[in-house]
Amino acid sequence: MSAKRERLIYLPLGGAGEIGMNAYVYGYGPEGKERLILVDLGIAFPDMDTTPGIDVILPDIAWLKDRLDRLEAVFVTHGHEDHLGGVGHLYPQLKKPVYARKFTANLARRKLAEKGQDQNAVTTVGPWPETVEAGPFTVGFLPVSHSIPESAALVIDTPAGRIIHSGDFKLDADPIVGEAFDPDLWAEAAKPGVLALVCDSTNVFSRHPGRSESQVAPNLVPLVKDATGMFVATTFASNVARLKSLADAGVAAGRSICLMGRAMRRMTEAASEEGLLNDFPRTVSPEDAASLPRENLMLIVTGSQGERRAASAQLSRGKYFGMEMKEGDTFLFSSKTIPGNEKEVARIMNNFSEMGVDVVTDDDGLYHVSGHANRPDLETVHGIVNPQTVIPMHGEHRHLREHAKLAESLGRTGVVAPNGTMLELSGNAPRIVDHVETGRTYLDGMALVGQFDGVVRDRLRMALNGHVVVALMIDDDDAVMEDSWVDIRGLPDAANGAPLADLMEQHLAGVLSRVDSRTADDDEKLEDLITKGVRKVAQDEVGKRPEVTVLITRLTAD
């Protein structure tokens, strides 16, 4: 029997068909025995409408766990949570080397330390042309500009050809902190020929060229100088360049700078440790800030996306570390609201408005620039790399499809491959060879639970319909000893003037009085009977079908 031919595969487990939770698998070797690498291991964030009580959302790595003996390593392109945030949570299941550039590696080690994992699992890699060998793969970190320092595309060499995985990027000649986009370096990486460009699709619908981070700073200075009262700004904590621009504007206005929020401090500490932020203005502690005159103070705070526990939300609800917003203060959102977060951000804005705080946003494009390449910038990169195939990633399905159409219009093959789509890239004609079941894993407190385990489903059902607990006792002759006891949660206490629990107990008394010994001896039948009875009363009286828990106590003779 001849040996199976070797092939190169690409499989997104997260991040393709959605924005967030990035996790991409590459494999090379005989079919079904490929050696594998994982690019990025990110998270997504929950919302109360669909995932109540969940802390973070992680990609389902069940497919990888079944093939751990074939997984060589994890490569992280940059330090954003949607690319790095899953490392601390899922490393215990993978136990594979993690490679990243120094700033990202610093953040990755912090993630592992928080979870009590071995920080030595993370190896720092210099920029391309330095490379790492991982089975049949040779991987280099190609510097690129983004909204966090030391972002990188990956140059992935395989026996079947070279792949460039763009990571998140923009074309910025002056990013303030971190490296500028270097077209000559990218052209050098593409010179041997590129089989496939796996590319960021976030801003494919934005038809104007992207703007530089350096264009924001000049607009911030007059805004802060002209403000009265305390000035507070929020942005993405990972955007170290923006933090510096904000702080510099505050100093220029004669204000002391205070960073508030754990993520802010973590990012600036990591950037300073790695020599990326040597001239950040001196800051004061939250404790000291509380004693300073308001007109001489600038707070830079977390929570630009409306996160309930972050500094912005807490300030909008009252005090935070002794600080309180007052009439005449200014609050700046130096950020873009990610789709899905609009309600939470609007709630904060309205809270501040009720306090008399002046809220400033980026509606006029003055105080924020995107970290992702717009459509003209994508065209530029396609031209520099000149790949045979473009595989869009990092975007919702509409982004992937539009990006593939863009590639086709420029004379290249474009392939839409959402999560779970396995592509074979060997040769000159990429093709879909398999579909893998993908999903989500939820971090619920300290436990990891599967998307289909029922935890969130039951929580949503209780939130929508309420919960009823029914307790009853059965004697050793299989007879109901006394009336059942009912407790309700999340339902109206009374219906038509009568307590709802009493109405349920009365109905169940009639139902249980007719139960024969065979039904009374069968917990499953008894629970079904009681559940139907409770739901009938709830439906008739208040129009709800609650979740029902039945507690049966059986007594036995001594």
Side-chain angles (χ1 to χ4, degrees), residues 19 168 200-205 336 372-373 378 393-395 399:
I19 295 179
D168 293 1
D200 181 2
S201 307
T202 311
N203 285 352
V204 68
F205 290 106
K336 174 185 176 182
H372 297 272
L378 293 174
M393 53 92 178
H394 201 286
H399 297 93

Side-chain angles (χ1 to χ4, degrees), residues 119-179:
Q119 298 180 61
N120 293 322
V122 180
T123 298
T124 299
V125 184
W128 189 83
E130 183 176 328
T131 57
V132 174
E133 301 291 332
F137 299 95
T138 301
V139 182
F141 288 81
L142 183 63
V144 69
S145 50
H146 185 40
S147 53
I148 188 171
E150 290 199 333
S151 296
L154 297 182
V155 179
I156 304 173
D157 282 321
T158 79
R162 174 168 287 186
I163 295 169
I164 292 183
H165 182 104
S166 76
D168 293 1
F169 76 99
K170 64 182 295 187
L171 307 190
D172 194 335
D174 186 13
I176 298 181
V177 177
E179 299 128 318

Side-chain angles (χ1 to χ4, degrees), residues 234-500:
T234 186
T235 189
F236 299 98
S238 57
N239 193 338
V240 176
R242 186 71 50 76
L243 299 184
K244 185 178 186 308
S245 294
L246 287 165
D248 286 345
V251 170
R255 295 175 181 264
S256 297
I257 309 301
C258 177
L259 299 177
M260 300 186 78
R262 191 165 63 98
M264 288 284 179
R265 295 191 298 273
R266 185 174 67 241
M267 286 292 174
T268 52
E269 287 170 4
S272 297
E273 287 173 7
E274 302 304 335
L276 298 169
L277 201 59
N278 296 322
D279 55 351
F280 196 83
R282 187 176 69 85
T283 62
V284 298
S285 69
E287 294 76 15
D288 291 340
S291 62
L292 295 175
R294 303 178 68 78
E295 64 274 12
N296 294 337
L297 185 61
M298 179 177 183
L299 309 181
I300 306 176
V301 302
T302 54
S304 66
Q305 300 306 303
E307 302 94 323
R308 282 191 58 80
R309 290 181 289 183
S312 296
Q314 296 206 49
L315 283 170
S316 78
R317 296 194 298 268
K319 290 185 177 181
Y320 184 65
F321 277 94
M323 304 303 302
E324 186 176 6
M325 301 294 288
K326 295 183 178 179
E327 185 171 358
D329 290 344
T330 301
F331 193 99
L332 167 67
F333 283 87
S334 182
S335 56
K336 174 185 176 182
T337 301
I338 296 171
N341 296 336
E342 293 90 350
K343 285 195 298 185
E344 289 78 8
V345 172
R347 184 179 295 114
I348 291 174
M349 290 181 179
N350 283 313
N351 288 348
F352 282 142
S353 181
E354 290 173 7
M355 296 176 185
V357 174
D358 294 323
V359 177
V360 180
T361 68
D362 188 52
D363 288 347
D364 295 327
L366 297 175
Y367 308 117
H368 178 67
V369 293
S370 175
H372 297 272
N374 290 356
R375 189 185 189 94
D377 310 319
L378 293 174
E379 293 177 359
T380 297
V381 169
H382 287 198
I384 294 171
V385 175
N386 193 26
Q388 292 183 32
T389 300
V390 174
I391 304 172
M393 53 92 178
H394 201 286
E396 298 169 358
H397 195 280
R398 63 192 179 97
H399 297 93
L400 306 187
R401 187 164 177 265
E402 183 68 16
H403 197 170
K405 288 166 64 177
L406 173 63
E408 297 279 355
S409 73
L410 298 173
R412 300 178 179 89
T413 300
V415 182
V416 177
N419 293 340
T421 306
M422 183 185 291
L423 293 181
E424 180 180 346
L425 302 179
S426 312
N428 297 319
R431 61 193 182 98
I432 297 172
V433 293
D434 199 1
H435 287 278
V436 171
E437 186 173 332
T438 57
R440 299 178 166 204
T441 300
Y442 298 135
L443 178 65
D444 188 25
M446 293 186 293
L448 291 174
V449 299
Q451 180 178 1
F452 302 109
D453 287 0
V455 173
V456 173
R457 178 199 62 205
D458 290 347
R459 200 170 284 164
L460 284 169
R461 286 178 176 174
M462 287 187 284
L464 292 170
N465 295 297
H467 184 218
V468 176
V469 177
V470 181
L472 72 159
M473 299 177 69
I474 308 292
D475 66 18
D476 55 351
D477 291 325
D478 293 329
V480 179
M481 292 185 62
E482 56 186 52
D483 290 342
S484 60
W485 171 83
V486 172
D487 183 55
I488 64 173
R489 290 287 186 272
L491 289 165
D493 290 335
N496 298 317
L500 184 59

